[in-house]
Amino acid sequence: MKKIPSVFRKRYTEKKYASKIRKKLHIDADREFIESLFSVRTDPKSGMTVRVFDGDKVTDKQAEKRVGKIAKEIKKQKGRFNLVSLFAALLFFGAVVSAFGVFRNQIARMAIVSAAENAFGAKCDLRSVDFDLFNASFSLEGLAVANRDSPMTNLFEIGEAELKFDLLWLTRGKLHVDTGKVTHIAWGTPRNVSGALPPKREKAWKQRQDSATDGAAGTNKAAVGGKGSPVNLSAGFSAVTDMLDPQKILDAEMAQLLLPAAVDRVSKTVPDLTAKWAEQNKTLKTSSDGVVKTGKTIAAINPASLKTPEDIQAALKTVEASKTVIEDGVRVAKKSADDVKNDIATVAALKKEAETAYKNDAARLATLASSVKAANLETGTKVLSSVFESFAAATLGNLYPKAEKAIALAVKLQNRPKDAQAVSLKKKSGALSRAAGRNVPFGVGKAPTVLFKSLELGIDAPGVSGTGSLTDITDDQEANGKPSLFAVSLSHGSMSERLSGSFDLRSRTDTAFNADFAANGYAISIPAPDTPGIPSVRGTLNATGTLLISRSGDASVRSRLSLADSRIETKPFDPSWAYGAYQDVLSNLTAINGELTAELPRSGNPSVSFSTDADKILGAAIAEGVKNRIAGLRKDVQKLADSWLAEQQAAYAPQIATFTSVTGLTPEMAKNALAYETVVDDKKAALERRAKDLVNEQTEAARKAAEAAAAEAKAAADKAAAEAKAAADKAAADAKAKAADSIKKIF
């Protein structure tokens, strides 16, 4: 053997060999094999007999591997007391305890928040937490888990919680709470910030949900309440009166009548066209008024009064500036006039269609009224049963999905054993060759990881108070071997509820959820449906019963209902004889007692039934009025048909009249605008003519002025010539006289 393990390289005295080697070989075959490899020799120094491992005796690889494996097993079996190891262990333990003491609350907070968010798929807020390991207690304050479906509200809140847990189980990685108290529980409270998870965590949560299986409980496909309600109200009173009810007779003929479709087409078309032209007329009126105002301004310009080219130029600018207003207005008027013709034609065709349908339907209904015949009727009814069945279906439709969610959550939180995997041949052969012979820890058995043995609940929601208890709530009922028990009592005002029972998800049980419930003091008001003759019911409801849900998801409800201080009323209806016959009976029913049964199979097809003796009393009262009913039925059918025809006519005629009234304004407004279509061109032409006339006038005036100036100039010239001649003559005379005087002097 090339490399001898260190544990076998030492020389051992008989005493040490017995304690270091032989004692740690628990398998006989291993002990014999190792002893065969040791040789007994004499130590040359001490002269003592020692045992020495002889590697030459290991001749093959299989034996070499076996020696190495045994050596590792021996090394793992340390001595009972090792001072260095003990000191290191104590040092490590002290460090762990110190770190845990410092960060215990942060660790606990992270664990609680993470667990809540993983369970409910929404944010969890926690104000404070105190994890006291040495006193084995745990407390928290201000826990709020958001509602995944409504992130701005809380699914539930816990004001305070105090838990006492088993410290021994905690050292084994299991949380077993012996006693606990949870107070100030509330639900549906508002949040200041959204409780939706961030996108990455939301995606991860959805992936976990998709990969998870629902186990024992699944979604119940039974449609309860709403359109899927199994309760047929017409199966009660209306089933008896259908053949004597003129409205039912008329309703049966509705599919063959033409007027509803014609009225529907009018209603879908005419109001939109009316609204269109009401809006269009506003635009048209604004445009038309602008055209008229501008046109009148242009028309008021009198070219003859303009005396200068500047005046004409200013008038042309005014006309040209108004051109856009006139042209746009005229364009709108022309388009409106054309469009309204098309829409008027469309409405006219719809009106003709409706009037034709009216005539045909009137003739058909007259024939129907005259052909009504008597029929045999059954007098048994289920009027009140139908009302309570409808009420129960709606109530179950609201409450049952919540119960399903709670059970699905409980199933999801259960630790389920993994499917057993086949052991490979290699592992089998390894198991047969040798066993490890170690790792037998003390106290580790089959036990749930989380177990709340007893919890007290204190409920303090807005307007609601109550108490409750939970027993044996665990993540592994199989390991705990017990069902989980619950009991809750609530009160709010004059109303109270009680719910107690168990849920058991162990594989050997058939019923997953078994609960007794009671509800008292509920003031209910069940409105009357549209079905004729079905009454409204008011009173104080008390109910007791049981709810069972199987592991396959099938549910059943059994309940005793009692309605005290009842007030049962129905509006007057046709046929009037039936209304009078049982209205008196309804007013005398001050209490109703009955049995409710509901079956909600997971596959669908739910059933809800309610039985009460009050229906028999009503049935007898109705039967009395049947005998004399047929005589007036034909007349009532015709009267109802006439009323229906009048309603149909009233439905479409006013719409058409309104359209006609609105569109009647359009042509007139368009006409007013079109009257000024040519006003710009006409006025420009008049101004151009005035400009030409003004030029001619100014030319003639200039000619006459020139002629007058010429004549005046000639007269002035003639006058100047005469005055010059006279001056010359005078000068000549004066010169002559002066010369004469001079001659006289000479002579």
Side-chain angles (χ1 to χ4, degrees):
M1 186 175 181
K2 295 181 180 180
K3 187 176 181 180
I4 300 173
S6 60
V7 70
F8 295 144
R9 287 201 292 267
K10 299 177 182 179
R11 295 173 178 268
Y12 293 100
T13 63
E14 285 296 333
K15 184 177 180 181
K16 286 187 176 181
Y17 177 80
S19 62
K20 299 291 185 179
I21 303 297
R22 184 185 294 115
K23 185 178 181 180
K24 295 181 179 181
L25 297 174
H26 304 287
I27 300 175
D28 294 340
D30 290 345
R31 188 184 306 112
E32 293 175 358
F33 173 68
I34 293 299
E35 287 186 350
S36 67
L37 300 178
F38 273 87
S39 301
V40 179
R41 299 178 184 176
T42 302
D43 189 345
K45 293 181 180 181
S46 61
M48 298 179 62
T49 301
V50 295
R51 286 184 176 265
V52 180
F53 186 84
D54 189 355
D56 295 336
K57 294 183 179 181
V58 181
T59 59
D60 56 66
K61 289 186 177 181
Q62 185 175 1
E64 186 175 347
K65 288 182 180 180
R66 187 177 180 185
V67 169
K69 196 171 185 180
I70 295 174
K72 289 181 180 180
E73 293 294 332
I74 293 175
K75 288 180 180 180
K76 290 179 180 179
Q77 301 180 46
K78 302 296 182 180
R80 295 196 179 190
F81 183 80
N82 187 313
L83 185 60
V84 176
S85 299
L86 177 61
F87 179 75
L90 291 176
L91 185 62
F92 176 75
F93 179 75
V96 170
V97 171
S98 298
F100 185 80
V102 174
F103 300 107
R104 67 186 190 283
N105 291 337
Q106 289 87 337
I107 295 171
R109 175 190 291 273
M110 292 174 58
I112 294 171
V113 171
S114 176
E117 292 182 349
N118 290 336
F120 298 101
K123 284 186 178 179
C124 172
D125 300 324
L126 182 58
R127 186 166 60 248
S128 66
V129 61
D130 184 15
F131 184 27
D132 189 346
L133 179 63
F134 298 104
N135 291 321
S137 67
F138 175 83
S139 63
L140 61 82
E141 293 182 0
L143 175 69
V145 177
N147 188 338
R148 177 176 175 78
D149 298 328
S150 178
M152 291 307 295
T153 59
N154 286 317
L155 182 64
F156 66 88
E157 281 190 76
I158 295 177
E160 296 179 359
E162 296 182 3
L163 306 176
K164 293 291 185 179
F165 55 84
D166 190 319
L167 187 58
L168 180 60
W169 280 111
L170 189 64
T171 61
R172 302 169 187 168
K174 300 178 184 293
L175 177 62
H176 285 202
V177 176
D178 294 326
T179 59
K181 188 174 184 180
V182 182
T183 58
H184 303 296
I185 300 173
W187 53 86
T189 54
R191 294 177 60 88
N192 294 325
V193 295
S194 173
L197 293 175
K200 289 185 178 180
R201 288 160 58 192
E202 172 72 13
K203 182 178 180 181
W205 189 87
K206 287 183 177 180
Q207 290 175 347
R208 288 195 299 271
Q209 300 306 303
D210 293 339
S211 62
T213 57
D214 287 341
T219 301
N220 192 311
K221 298 179 181 179
V224 184
K227 292 184 178 180
S229 171
V231 178
N232 182 7
L233 291 174
S234 63
F237 171 78
S238 25
V240 178
T241 61
D242 278 355
M243 299 184 70
L244 295 178
D245 188 347
Q247 183 62 56
K248 293 294 183 182
I249 295 174
L250 186 63
D251 290 345
E253 196 70 14
M254 282 295 167
Q256 307 301 322
L257 299 181
L258 304 175
L259 191 52
V263 172
D264 183 62
R265 281 189 284 273
V266 170
S267 298
K268 289 181 177 179
T269 305
V270 175
D272 291 340
L273 292 178
T274 302
K276 166 188 170 183
W277 283 106
E279 190 65 28
Q280 182 67 25
N281 281 350
K282 293 179 182 179
T283 304
L284 180 59
K285 185 176 187 311
T286 301
S287 177
S288 178
D289 289 348
V291 171
V292 171
K293 182 179 179 181
T294 305
K296 287 182 177 181
T297 301
I298 296 173
I301 298 174
N302 183 8
S305 65
L306 304 176
K307 303 300 183 181
T308 65
E310 289 76 12
D311 293 339
I312 295 175
Q313 187 66 29
L316 282 171
K317 287 183 179 180
T318 301
V319 172
E320 191 65 31
S322 304
K323 182 179 180 180
T324 301
V325 175
I326 299 296
E327 288 180 347
D328 291 346
V330 168
R331 184 166 54 254
V332 170
K334 287 183 177 180
K335 187 177 186 310
S336 298
D338 292 339
D339 291 348
V340 79
K341 290 179 182 178
N342 296 330
D343 290 344
I344 289 175
T346 299
V347 174
L350 291 173
K351 179 180 179 182
K352 183 177 180 181
E353 179 187 1
E355 290 174 345
T356 302
Y358 180 92
K359 294 178 181 178
N360 293 337
D361 288 353
R364 186 181 186 92
L365 293 176
T367 303
L368 174 67
S370 62
S371 63
V372 173
K373 298 179 181 180
N376 294 324
L377 300 173
E378 295 181 0
T379 58
T381 62
K382 286 190 63 179
V383 176
L384 293 175
S385 296
S386 296
V387 173
F388 277 91
E389 287 171 2
S390 176
F391 171 74
T395 303
L396 289 174
N398 291 329
L399 297 180
Y400 183 71
K402 297 178 182 178
E404 272 197 321
K405 286 184 178 180
I407 295 173
L409 178 61
V411 172
K412 186 175 68 173
L413 295 177
Q414 291 292 301
N415 286 330
R416 297 174 216 152
K418 296 181 180 179
D419 296 334
Q421 297 181 352
V423 181
S424 65
L425 181 61
K426 182 179 180 181
K427 289 185 177 181
K428 286 183 178 179
S429 61
L432 291 173
S433 64
R434 70 182 308 279
R438 62 185 188 88
N439 290 345
V440 187
F442 169 74
V444 178
K446 187 172 178 57
T449 303
V450 179
L451 172 62
F452 293 87
K453 296 181 180 180
S454 177
L455 284 180
E456 295 182 14
L457 307 179
I459 300 168
D460 188 14
V464 182
S465 62
T467 60
S469 64
L470 300 174
T471 304
D472 291 322
I473 305 300
T474 178
D475 66 334
D476 192 345
Q477 289 185 332
E478 293 283 1
N480 196 43
K482 299 178 183 179
S484 299
L485 306 180
F486 58 87
V488 179
S489 297
L490 302 175
S491 63
H492 42 105
S494 60
M495 295 175 285
S496 64
E497 299 88 12
R498 176 181 54 79
L499 180 68
S500 62
S502 65
F503 62 90
D504 193 345
L505 304 177
R506 293 175 294 171
S507 58
R508 293 182 303 235
T509 58
D510 296 328
T511 302
F513 187 84
N514 185 344
D516 295 330
F517 62 86
N520 298 303
Y522 269 77
I524 66 167
S525 178
I526 307 174
D530 295 334
T531 306
I534 302 300
S536 62
V537 177
R538 287 183 291 172
T540 303
L541 179 68
N542 299 314
T544 58
T546 59
L547 168 63
L548 300 176
I549 302 178
S550 68
R551 288 182 58 82
S552 62
D554 298 336
S556 64
V557 179
R558 301 288 185 274
S559 179
R560 175 73 180 175
L561 301 182
S562 174
L563 188 70
D565 302 326
S566 61
R567 187 173 180 180
I568 308 172
E569 297 175 337
T570 184
K571 297 178 181 179
F573 58 86
D574 290 330
S576 57
W577 60 268
Y579 173 73
Y582 87 110
Q583 179 57 41
D584 292 339
V585 180
L586 291 178
S587 61
N588 291 326
L589 291 175
T590 58
I592 299 176
N593 298 312
E595 297 284 343
L596 174 70
T597 301
E599 298 293 341
L600 310 173
R602 181 179 180 183
S603 59
N605 300 319
S607 64
V608 179
S609 63
F610 181 78
S611 60
T612 176
D613 292 338
D615 281 332
K616 295 180 181 179
I617 301 174
L618 292 179
I622 295 171
E624 290 294 326
V626 176
K627 297 179 182 179
N628 301 320
R629 176 61 195 131
I630 300 300
L633 185 58
R634 293 181 181 178
K635 184 177 180 180
D636 290 345
V637 171
Q638 185 60 59
K639 182 179 178 180
L640 190 60
D642 293 340
S643 176
W644 179 82
L645 289 168
E647 289 176 0
Q648 296 299 307
Q649 190 176 48
Y652 75 84
Q655 297 180 25
I656 295 176
T658 302
F659 173 82
T660 303
S661 175
V662 170
T663 55
L665 302 174
T666 307
E668 185 65 24
M669 289 188 289
K671 181 180 178 182
N672 292 339
L674 293 174
Y676 292 93
E677 182 177 6
T678 62
V679 67
V680 172
D681 294 337
D682 293 345
K683 189 59 65 176
K684 286 174 67 176
L687 290 171
E688 289 174 358
R689 289 193 299 270
R690 175 57 185 157
K692 291 179 181 179
D693 292 343
L694 186 59
V695 171
N696 293 333
E697 290 175 1
Q698 290 179 346
T699 302
E700 182 64 23
R703 184 185 65 78
K704 290 180 178 180
E707 290 178 351
E712 185 179 354
K714 181 179 181 183
D718 291 343
K719 182 179 179 181
E723 290 176 350
K725 182 178 180 183
D729 290 345
K730 182 179 178 183
D734 288 344
K736 184 177 181 181
K738 187 177 179 181
D741 286 341
S742 296
I743 292 174
K744 285 178 178 183
K745 287 177 179 182
I746 296 171
F747 296 103

